[in-house]
Amino acid sequence: MVLKHIRIQGAREHNLKNVTLEIPRDQLIVFTGLSGSGKSSLAFDTIYAEGQRKYMESLSSYARQFLDLIQKPDCDEIEGLPPTIAIEQRQGSSNPRSTVATTTEIYDYLRVLFARAGTPHCWVCGQEIASQSATQIVEAVMKLAEGTKVMILSPLVRGQKGTHKEVLEAMTRQGFVRCRVDGVVCEIKDALLAIGKTGKTGIVGKINLDKNLKHTVEAVVDRLIIKEEIRTRLADSVELALKLADGLLVAMVEEPAGSGKWIDRAYSSKYACADHPEASLEELSPRLFSFNSPYGACPSCLGLGTIQEFDEELIVPDRSLPVSEAIEPFRRNGRRMNIWYNRMMRIFCSDFDVDEGTPFSELPEKTRKILMYGTTSKDEASYRAEFEGVLPVLQRRWENTDSEFVKARLHQYMSEQPCEKCQGKRLRTEALAVKIGGKNIQETTSLTIERALEFFSSLKLETEQAQIAAPVLKEVRSRLGFMSDVGLGYLSLDRQTGTLSGGEFQRIRLATQVGSGLVGVAYVLDEPTIGLHQRDNDRLIKTLRHLTDIGNTVIVVEHDEDTIRAADWVIDVGPGAGSHGGKIIAEGSVQKVLASTESITAKYLTGECQIVLPKYRRAMKADECVEVIGAKENNLKKINVKVPLGGFVCVTGVSGSGKSTLVNEIILKGLRRKLYGSKERPGEHTKLLGTQYVDKVIEIDQSPIGRTPRSNPATYTGVFDLIRTLYSKTREAKIRGYKSGRFSFNVKGGRCESCQGQGTKRIEMHFLPDVFVTCEACKGTRFNRETLEIKYRGKSIADVLSMRVEEALAFFDSFNNIKQILQAMNDVGLSYVELGQSSTTLSGGEAQRVKLASELGKPATGHTLYVLDEPTTGLHFADIHNLLNVLNRLVDQGNTVLVIEHNLDVIKCADWIIDLGPEGGEGGGTIVDQGTPEKIVENPQSFTGQYLKHKLTPLTIVAAG
């Protein structure tokens, strides 16, 4: 009997409280609930983990030893579970060789397509080159009009200096009578006579075989008149000509017949240009088009498209400084190096008549070029002096030094520059000379997904090429179509996956899975709507629905209202987070869940609870702002943007409109360079003004707060240092002489040395998954016995680490410095998190709120710019409510909060909106509008305004003030 449900009994993973439920198969299931309520524990750590474990158990013990085996989840039983595939929200590969095209396997299909159906071109003259067999050449010549005169020539010397006497003599020995020298047909004996003779009349006078000039010498293999009887003779002549000239042949044709006018038709049995034999290719193969293969990669940059070079902008960060001080690598070295560099600069100023106090920016262009790149022979003749140049000096030192310290220091002044040989195209010249539809493989991958879909859909090939390419084109069009359907049409195929957001990378993997056409699988997705504008939600839901229609179960952990309402089955986990969650509050159809009186999700969906509009919008000061002039990085179209300070500012727009480029690449990196002297290179722009109004810039993203289990909220926020200091001041600690370091589990002294402060031990089980057991010596407390004897109000340091934030807040009520940080964690909605909870178990949303709490816990300075990229990721409606309260607190202290966001509840609460678009990719990069939310909704060009309109009601709109 086929089970129609996935039955879970007694799930206790993490905070789940013995959960038992049935999930219908082959439907769209949405898990929702507060952040930290147990959704991911149920979907990923229970359902997915068990599906993977059962599949791995079906493999042989030999195969299992090569896999990272999964521990059995804490669950009594799971029945009816199909094979599971997790499509998690995680950052794309940081490997610079990984692109959208390679990740989706489209590039593999393109390599086959160009190798089998591409047309090679000469990279010198641009004309097509083709490989033809002797039979094909014979057929081509026989198609000429009957009676046409033809000479079959074999090119023996092509554009080479010399008299070539030995070639002419060899032709005579082989029985040839005639040749063509530099376009003149003559007898070989006349050509030999012409060597060294010029200015004579007749044939000999027309030939000038000067040894200092380049010549072309071709043997006349045969002279024919086209008629059917000559086919066999022509075939013999063609084979002989190809053999003599290593696969090349020229047919000299009188055209039209009887006119006396001759034209050349070149043929080749190899991929070679008849006019430029150096432009030749081996047989086309897929590896020629791979930038990860030595056969296809550019030999200069090895297929990366970029090389590390010294960057003038990093070497001279402040151009207002005097010439003698402007070269930053020449400063702050060792004493001897400083003396040497100073002497070098004094000699330069003396030789080239430059005042040492002249600002670098005021140097004449010619003098600046000499300073940075050194003198040319022309410069040396003009100035009667030579100078090596700053960049050559640094390059020489980089190449010759063996010191890792010097290399690390010099590396700060280097940046990635496009490879000069391939111009950033990654491939060899030979590969780039092969084209389909007028484009080479690099030009096709530089297209956006939408443009590529249009190109391949309208591609017309010749009959033979079309038959070869048909199955490949079908697969390429299919995969491009799926990616367009999930809202990724604005991405270019050559975009590095490391630059993608978690949501974009997840949707790419989703499109790849849709393209695979698997059925009978359970897909588990983690918030696929991340980074997706409301406009594109329908297309994503349609894709998820397609997966269920072909016979798959799709389980989505999601907070997006549209996705929840589109589900077949909704499971609401709660009621609270952490230890207050882990229960099923409501399950069933959307209507059934909405009718639940206990579900917080239902209250927000029905409007019983809602995030209300602010009573007023803060007045934004036009004269105090950070202004970007001429932003043109990626798809930004040389725009000027003002970010007003002292308010809550939202940057909005459809996916790919340029939001992250503007905020993260230009504003954030530009401010870091201005305020902290960062070596990060900002995105391309002309100027960044108004930096004097900002004294600090802080990025609060969703990256983990630590990458090891030792990192936790207490250590990250700094509250653990204060707690350890408190314990070191207790009476017993003073008697024993314990300092605050004694209460750290990261250093020797107070930690348990048996497990080295981990609390658990890892036992290798070979072909079974590793087992983590609680340390017997410390019973999982991480500290040794003596440390645990020190107590404050009856609690040891280990007891404090196991406290939830809400418990610790009451426990340390008397200590304001500790209470301030704990209160901040409580305010951002982390009351349920344990102080010592491992950072690896925190979700992206929780990690971001820990960072927010860390900033809130510090004394307010004002004039700080906080930059957040989609802070609502992983947050429930109720969590967003808390988040907005926290962000408004930061603004009320005189700071500025700059947020990239798609969530309408956040956007409607902003004081100022900068809306980019109107479309993504090439169709974006301009400012659609900027102003209050009320102003944005009045603009018919703004997609954000169209969806925001129903969130604003006339009753709550209040004039800015």
Side-chain angles (χ1 to χ4, degrees):
M1 186 180 83
V2 179
L3 292 174
K4 295 294 184 182
H5 291 80
I6 300 171
R7 293 197 185 97
I8 303 167
Q9 291 186 351
R12 294 176 294 275
E13 194 69 24
H14 296 151
N15 67 331
L16 296 178
K17 295 182 171 59
N18 210 34
V19 169
T20 298
L21 77 158
E22 282 192 358
I23 301 171
R25 287 176 56 164
D26 303 340
Q27 292 191 18
L28 177 57
I29 317 296
V30 169
F31 283 75
T32 189
L34 294 177
S35 179
S37 60
K39 306 181 300 297
S40 295
S41 297
L42 192 51
F44 286 94
D45 300 328
T46 303
I47 296 173
Y48 167 65
E50 181 64 5
Q52 284 292 90
R53 189 187 68 82
K54 284 186 174 180
Y55 168 71
M56 290 181 182
E57 277 191 350
S58 68
L59 303 175
S60 67
S61 58
Y62 175 77
R64 295 204 299 273
Q65 67 181 322
F66 299 107
L67 300 171
D68 291 329
L69 298 181
I70 298 170
Q71 190 72 34
K72 180 174 171 46
D74 190 359
C75 180
D76 292 339
E77 187 179 10
I78 300 181
E79 291 181 310
L81 184 61
T84 56
I85 296 174
I87 305 178
E88 298 177 77
Q89 181 221 145
R90 65 170 186 263
Q91 205 66 28
S93 168
S94 58
N95 187 336
R97 296 182 181 274
S98 176
T99 66
V100 171
T102 58
T103 303
T104 56
E105 299 175 2
I106 286 175
Y107 198 73
D108 295 330
Y109 287 103
L110 291 181
R111 290 195 294 119
V112 173
L113 179 66
F114 276 82
R116 299 294 175 253
T119 304
H121 290 68
C122 172
W123 48 90
V124 180
C125 63
Q127 70 178 15
E128 287 187 18
I129 56 178
S131 167
Q132 295 174 300
S133 65
T135 304
Q136 288 173 315
I137 295 171
V138 170
E139 289 299 328
V141 175
M142 287 301 295
K143 286 180 181 178
L144 294 170
E146 192 166 330
T148 303
K149 293 179 181 179
V150 179
M151 288 191 207
I152 304 299
L153 309 178
S154 180
L156 301 179
V157 177
R158 299 177 65 81
Q160 295 179 18
K161 289 181 179 180
T163 62
H164 308 297
K165 181 179 179 181
E166 68 284 354
V167 174
L168 294 168
E169 290 174 343
M171 288 164 61
T172 303
R173 288 195 298 271
Q174 291 173 11
F176 293 105
V177 177
R178 292 176 181 80
C179 65
R180 187 170 75 165
V181 178
D182 297 335
V184 179
V185 177
C186 64
E187 291 190 6
I188 296 175
K189 63 180 181 180
D190 291 333
L192 287 166
L193 285 173
I195 294 175
K197 297 180 180 179
T198 58
K200 304 294 182 182
T201 58
I203 288 291
V204 174
K206 294 179 183 178
I207 303 169
N208 181 14
L209 280 171
D210 188 328
K211 66 179 182 181
N212 296 315
L213 300 177
K214 291 182 178 180
H215 304 289
T216 298
V217 180
E218 297 151 313
V220 178
V221 178
D222 206 349
R223 296 186 299 170
L224 304 159
I225 297 175
I226 298 298
K227 50 189 174 183
E228 188 57 38
E229 302 89 81
I230 63 139
R231 182 182 290 272
T232 304
R233 176 178 165 181
L234 175 62
D236 293 340
S237 299
V238 166
E239 288 181 5
L240 177 59
L242 291 172
K243 182 179 179 182
L244 288 171
D246 196 23
L248 289 176
L249 175 152
V250 176
M252 189 176 168
V253 181
E254 185 187 33
E255 205 167 40
S259 65
K261 294 180 180 178
W262 296 80
I263 62 168
D264 287 353
R265 292 189 179 181
Y267 299 94
S268 172
S269 61
K270 296 182 176 180
Y271 289 112
C273 178
D275 299 325
H276 305 93
E278 70 275 12
S280 62
L281 289 164
E282 298 178 7
E283 183 181 357
L284 297 183
S285 64
R287 69 182 183 179
L288 176 66
F289 303 96
S290 172
F291 48 76
N292 292 324
S293 163
Y295 294 97
C298 165
S300 178
C301 63
L302 304 178
L304 288 172
T306 58
I307 51 177
Q308 287 281 339
E309 288 186 340
F310 283 101
D311 189 335
E312 189 175 332
E313 285 189 22
L314 297 177
I315 291 170
V316 189
D318 187 352
R319 296 187 166 227
S320 64
L321 290 174
V323 174
S324 58
E325 301 175 19
I327 312 300
E328 189 168 302
F330 287 5
R331 298 156 55 200
R332 295 192 295 274
N333 292 283
R335 181 171 174 271
R336 289 176 62 189
M337 288 304 298
N338 280 340
I339 292 171
W340 190 85
Y341 283 137
N342 289 336
R343 180 172 172 271
M344 174 181 162
M345 292 303 295
R346 283 198 302 273
I347 292 172
F348 167 80
C349 292
S350 172
D351 289 347
F352 296 93
D353 196 24
V354 175
D355 185 345
E356 290 185 28
T358 303
F360 183 89
S361 59
E362 294 179 15
L363 278 179
E365 182 63 32
K366 188 176 180 181
T367 310
R368 191 185 308 167
K369 193 172 181 181
I370 291 172
L371 172 61
M372 298 308 294
Y373 298 95
T375 50
T376 62
S377 55
K378 189 177 179 182
D379 296 328
E380 289 167 10
S382 174
Y383 290 96
R384 296 184 180 179
E386 62 177 313
F387 184 70
E388 186 176 1
V390 172
L391 292 174
V393 164
L394 294 175
Q395 186 66 37
R396 178 166 52 80
R397 194 173 180 208
W398 167 265
E399 291 170 356
N400 295 335
T401 186
D402 293 325
S403 167
E404 289 300 321
F405 173 79
V406 172
K407 286 237 179 202
R409 186 170 188 277
L410 290 177
H411 192 269
Q412 298 177 49
Y413 305 103
M414 302 175 86
S415 67
E416 286 188 348
Q417 304 288 338
C419 170
E420 288 186 12
K421 187 172 180 63
C422 68
Q423 300 300 313
K425 295 175 181 177
R426 298 184 170 212
L427 293 167
R428 291 178 178 270
T429 309
E430 297 94 310
L432 296 172
V434 181
K435 298 184 178 182
I436 286 180
K439 294 184 183 294
N440 61 36
I441 193 168
Q442 186 275 330
E443 288 169 337
T444 57
T445 54
S446 67
L447 297 172
T448 62
I449 288 168
E450 284 183 354
R451 290 289 177 88
L453 187 56
E454 290 173 12
F455 173 74
F456 287 111
S457 297
S458 60
L459 185 61
K460 296 287 188 281
L461 299 173
E462 294 177 7
T463 308
E464 185 179 342
Q465 286 181 317
Q467 290 178 345
I468 295 169
V472 180
L473 284 174
K474 181 184 176 184
E475 198 65 41
V476 170
R477 289 166 185 155
S478 172
R479 288 171 186 259
L480 289 171
F482 288 133
M483 285 197 285
S484 180
D485 289 343
V486 294
L488 295 172
Y490 59 90
L491 292 179
S492 61
L493 288 170
D494 61 359
R495 171 107 169 242
Q496 291 185 9
T497 52
T499 66
L500 300 174
S501 69
E504 286 171 334
F505 187 68
Q506 185 178 203
R507 291 201 296 281
I508 280 178
R509 291 196 60 220
L510 176 61
T512 306
Q513 289 297 333
V514 173
S516 69
L518 283 174
V519 296
V521 173
Y523 290 99
V524 186
L525 289 85
D526 186 8
E527 290 200 78
T529 59
I530 294 166
L532 201 61
H533 194 272
Q534 296 291 324
R535 185 194 68 166
D536 300 318
N537 270 3
D538 291 343
R539 288 196 290 177
L540 174 64
I541 292 167
K542 184 180 176 183
T543 302
L544 299 178
R545 181 63 63 193
H546 170 74
L547 283 173
T548 61
D549 290 344
I550 63 175
N552 297 299
T553 305
V554 179
I555 298 172
V556 182
V557 176
E558 190 56 89
H559 297 111
D560 178 69
E561 183 176 341
D562 292 343
T563 311
I564 296 172
R565 291 187 184 277
D568 299 313
W569 197 264
V570 178
I571 298 170
D572 190 25
V573 186
S579 60
H580 302 302
K583 297 178 182 178
I584 305 300
I585 301 304
E587 62 174 312
S589 65
V590 176
Q591 291 73 22
K592 185 177 177 182
V593 171
L594 290 180
S596 169
T597 56
E598 296 181 24
S599 169
I600 297 174
T601 304
K603 290 178 180 178
Y604 276 93
L605 290 176
T606 57
E608 183 181 338
C609 292
Q610 57 181 307
I611 297 171
V612 298
L613 282 164
K615 293 179 181 177
Y616 64 90
R617 309 259 182 225
R618 297 176 184 88
M620 309 305 287
K621 298 177 183 176
D623 55 336
E624 287 191 15
C625 64
V626 172
E627 184 175 4
V628 180
I629 306 292
K632 52 184 177 179
E633 181 74 6
N634 294 336
N635 67 332
L636 295 179
K637 296 179 172 58
K638 214 170 183 180
I639 58 174
N640 300 332
V641 183
K642 287 186 177 181
V643 179
L645 301 177
F648 181 22
V649 182
C650 257
V651 180
T652 63
V654 299
S655 304
S657 57
K659 304 183 298 296
S660 296
T661 300
L662 175 65
V663 176
N664 297 332
E665 296 300 315
I666 297 178
I667 296 175
L668 185 61
K669 289 184 178 179
L671 285 171
R672 280 176 176 164
R673 175 175 277 197
K674 290 269 188 180
L675 298 177
Y676 311 123
S678 166
K679 301 299 180 190
E680 287 183 305
R681 189 172 189 167
E684 195 175 355
H685 66 286
T686 307
K687 285 182 183 177
L688 183 64
L689 306 174
T691 55
Q692 70 272 20
Y693 300 119
V694 179
D695 62 6
K696 190 164 57 172
V697 60
I698 295 171
E699 181 186 14
I700 302 175
D701 59 15
Q702 299 206 354
S703 59
I705 59 172
R707 300 196 179 276
T708 67
R710 292 183 180 276
S711 178
N712 55 55
T715 55
Y716 184 86
T717 57
V719 73
F720 195 49
D721 295 335
L722 301 174
I723 292 171
R724 289 191 294 114
T725 301
L726 171 63
Y727 268 77
S728 68
K729 291 179 178 178
T730 58
R731 182 170 176 274
E732 187 67 24
K734 286 181 177 179
I735 292 172
R736 299 190 186 190
Y738 291 170
K739 303 297 181 185
S740 62
R742 176 82 190 192
F743 301 95
S744 170
F745 50 76
N746 288 323
V747 293
K748 286 184 177 181
R751 73 180 184 186
C752 169
E753 287 305 320
S754 180
C755 63
Q756 296 189 333
Q758 294 275 20
T760 58
K761 288 183 179 179
R762 177 178 174 178
I763 311 298
E764 289 190 14
M765 300 295 285
H766 301 290
F767 58 84
L768 291 173
D770 294 343
V771 174
F772 290 87
V773 296
T774 303
C775 174
E776 285 187 11
C778 67
K779 309 298 182 191
T781 61
R782 300 183 172 197
F783 296 93
N784 58 31
R785 186 174 175 180
E786 291 72 27
T787 305
L788 294 174
E789 288 174 353
I790 308 299
K791 296 189 177 181
Y792 170 72
R793 294 179 59 188
K795 301 284 186 182
S796 68
I797 192 74
D799 295 331
V800 170
L801 284 175
S802 62
M803 283 183 182
R804 295 193 300 274
V805 169
E806 57 190 356
E807 295 172 333
L809 193 56
F811 187 77
F812 293 107
D813 186 57
S814 304
F815 299 92
N816 286 332
N817 53 354
I818 297 175
K819 185 180 177 182
Q820 186 176 355
I821 298 175
L822 294 175
Q823 186 64 53
M825 292 177 70
N826 188 70
D827 291 345
V828 297
L830 294 176
S831 58
Y832 61 91
V833 171
E834 289 185 0
L835 294 182
Q837 185 173 333
S838 170
S839 64
T840 56
T841 65
L842 297 175
S843 68
E846 288 170 331
Q848 187 173 43
R849 285 183 287 163
V850 169
K851 293 177 186 178
L852 261 177
S854 178
E855 293 303 323
L856 277 174
K858 297 173 183 176
T861 60
H863 306 293
T864 300
L865 176 64
Y866 294 92
V867 179
L868 296 90
D869 191 349
E870 291 203 72
T872 58
T873 300
L875 300 190
H876 186 266
F877 306 106
D879 299 316
I880 294 172
H881 216 142
N882 273 336
L883 175 71
L884 286 169
N885 290 336
V886 170
L887 296 181
N888 280 309
R889 264 179 61 186
L890 289 172
V891 177
D892 290 340
Q893 292 170 353
N895 304 303
T896 305
V897 172
L898 180 61
V899 175
I900 300 171
E901 192 53 83
H902 290 117
N903 187 283
L904 296 175
D905 284 322
V906 173
I907 297 171
K908 75 179 185 183
C909 294
D911 299 311
W912 193 262
I913 294 175
I914 300 169
D915 193 36
L916 298 183
E919 294 289 343
E922 295 175 3
T926 61
I927 296 177
V928 177
D929 206 344
Q930 49 188 329
T932 62
E934 289 75 27
K935 183 175 183 292
I936 300 298
V937 299
E938 292 173 2
N939 189 331
Q941 303 298 318
S942 170
F943 288 112
T944 303
Q946 292 174 23
Y947 286 89
L948 187 61
K949 193 172 292 183
H950 75 275
K951 290 283 186 178
L952 301 178
T953 60
L955 295 175
T956 52
I957 295 178
V958 180

